[in-house]
Amino acid sequence: MTVASTDSGGGAGIMADLKTFTAMKVFGTAVVVSLTAQNSVSVKSIYELPVSFINDEMDEILDDIGTDASKTGMLYSSEIINAVSEKFKQYDVKNIVVDPVMVSKTNVRLLREDAIDAMVNNLMKISYLITPNIPEAEVISGQKINNAMDIKSAARVIYEKIGTNVLIKGGHYNGYYSDDILYDGHDFYSFKGKRIETKNTHGTGDTLSASIASYLAGGHNLYDSVSMAKKYIEGAIKYSFPMGKGYGPLNHFWMIK
Ligand SMILES: Cc1ncc(COP(=O)(O)O)c(N)n1
């Protein structure tokens, strides 16, 4: 189950999540919390759905179909985050992967500043894994990240603060490699990734978290789920293609000939 927002441009959000679920051969359900009018260069407007409707969506899915894992994406406001967190608790949803989704590639806020507290202190605390990129990890940890050592230190601070597994994505780090660091409160695991030079990375975070949630739903452990999802995302970036004038989408179906 994805709990996120739509992307009219098709590259990110709920659209990316459902494509990923399909590529992973898992059955996807979707709780839409807001609609965005966006494309590869901008986000023109955001239309929040009423919390009562979001509650109904979650009840309809969880009362009947259930879910083996869930991922959250763009949640936008503290009202939405708190409502979603309550429903997760009510139905005791397991394997929640939280992608913080704070700012779009096109530099528009997708999480209100006043919603960060609810995200960190409510939703993340009931999650199984959080997947911040470097700027998001800086916000959550309150620390600047300038090098690989800083990533580990921020991961430790985040774990101490929230008490949940944390995967810091290295894609925003200005080096040759884009290693991701996973910390489970005991050990650090490094997932090597060679930087692929392309502008077509719209929806990368959404796709990675949806892929991890899919593997968790299939019963894989944390390390294997992240490891397999990393392989999937690397192919999706490598075989991405231009679409629109800005950040093009990934190729979600790269491994299907
Ligand atoms: C609805 C929605 N969800 C998530 C993202 C983040 O994706 P990106 O970081 O590629 O802008 C987005 N742009 N829109």
Side-chain angles (χ1 to χ4, degrees):
M1 177 175 78
T2 168
V3 184
S5 302
T6 63
D7 168 9
S8 53
I14 293 264
M15 284 68 174
D17 294 338
L18 289 174
K19 287 177 205 179
T20 306
F21 293 157
T22 306
M24 305 279 102
K25 298 188 177 148
V26 306
F27 184 82
T29 53
V31 176
V32 183
V33 305
S34 79
L35 316 178
T36 72
Q38 70 170 301
N39 57 25
S40 68
V41 287
S42 62
V43 180
K44 194 171 193 182
S45 54
I46 295 171
Y47 184 84
E48 275 178 84
L49 291 171
V51 160
S52 62
F53 179 78
I54 297 167
N55 282 335
D56 285 349
E57 288 183 280
M58 291 191 77
D59 285 335
E60 286 296 273
I61 295 168
L62 296 169
D63 263 341
D64 176 36
I65 302 162
T67 193
D68 295 317
S70 182
K71 68 141 286 183
T72 66
M74 171 186 168
L75 297 181
Y76 195 60
S77 74
S78 57
E79 291 76 14
I80 293 173
I81 291 168
N82 291 335
V84 167
S85 305
E86 282 312 304
K87 285 291 167 195
F88 277 145
K89 283 188 220 161
Q90 183 186 332
Y91 290 95
D92 195 20
V93 174
K94 301 275 188 288
N95 292 326
I96 301 169
V97 179
V98 174
D99 180 1
V101 190
M102 292 185 181
V103 179
S104 72
K105 279 259 144 58
T106 50
N107 231 359
V108 173
R109 281 211 81 95
L110 302 181
L111 178 70
R112 288 172 50 146
E113 185 104 44
D114 62 7
I116 294 172
D117 184 58
M119 166 78 68
V120 172
N121 291 312
N122 205 353
L123 180 60
M124 285 182 172
K125 289 217 166 126
I126 55 164
S127 72
Y128 178 64
L129 172 71
I130 63 172
T131 64
N133 58 32
I134 286 178
E136 290 162 350
E138 288 184 332
V139 170
I140 301 164
S141 68
Q143 294 193 347
K144 273 309 269 177
I145 297 174
N146 294 312
N147 53 48
M149 282 302 292
D150 293 349
I151 297 183
K152 285 191 175 173
S153 148
R156 199 176 270 126
V157 169
I158 292 172
Y159 188 92
E160 273 158 20
K161 197 167 177 176
I162 300 172
T164 197
N165 301 308
V166 53
L167 176 71
I168 301 186
K169 298 172 288 188
H172 286 67
Y173 176 52
N174 254 348
Y176 178 66
Y177 291 101
S178 61
D179 295 0
D180 293 352
I181 298 290
L182 174 67
Y183 183 57
D184 63 3
H186 299 284
D187 297 302
F188 288 101
Y189 303 91
S190 177
F191 296 89
K192 300 254 167 264
K194 202 163 158 222
R195 185 172 295 280
I196 301 161
E197 274 320 321
T198 175
K199 237 182 121 180
N200 307 322
T201 54
H202 183 44
T204 307
D206 314 65
T207 301
L208 180 74
S209 53
S211 176
I212 295 171
S214 301
Y215 285 121
L216 291 173
H220 297 281
N221 68 27
L222 177 62
Y223 179 86
D224 290 347
S225 297
V226 173
S227 186
M228 290 188 286
K230 271 289 276 182
K231 286 208 182 76
Y232 170 62
I233 201 86
E234 270 183 25
I237 297 172
K238 187 169 174 196
Y239 297 105
S240 64
F241 47 90
M243 182 77 83
K245 300 177 192 70
Y247 296 100
L250 305 182
N251 184 344
H252 288 95
F253 302 110
W254 63 275
M255 69 297 206
I256 298 168
K257 299 282 174 255

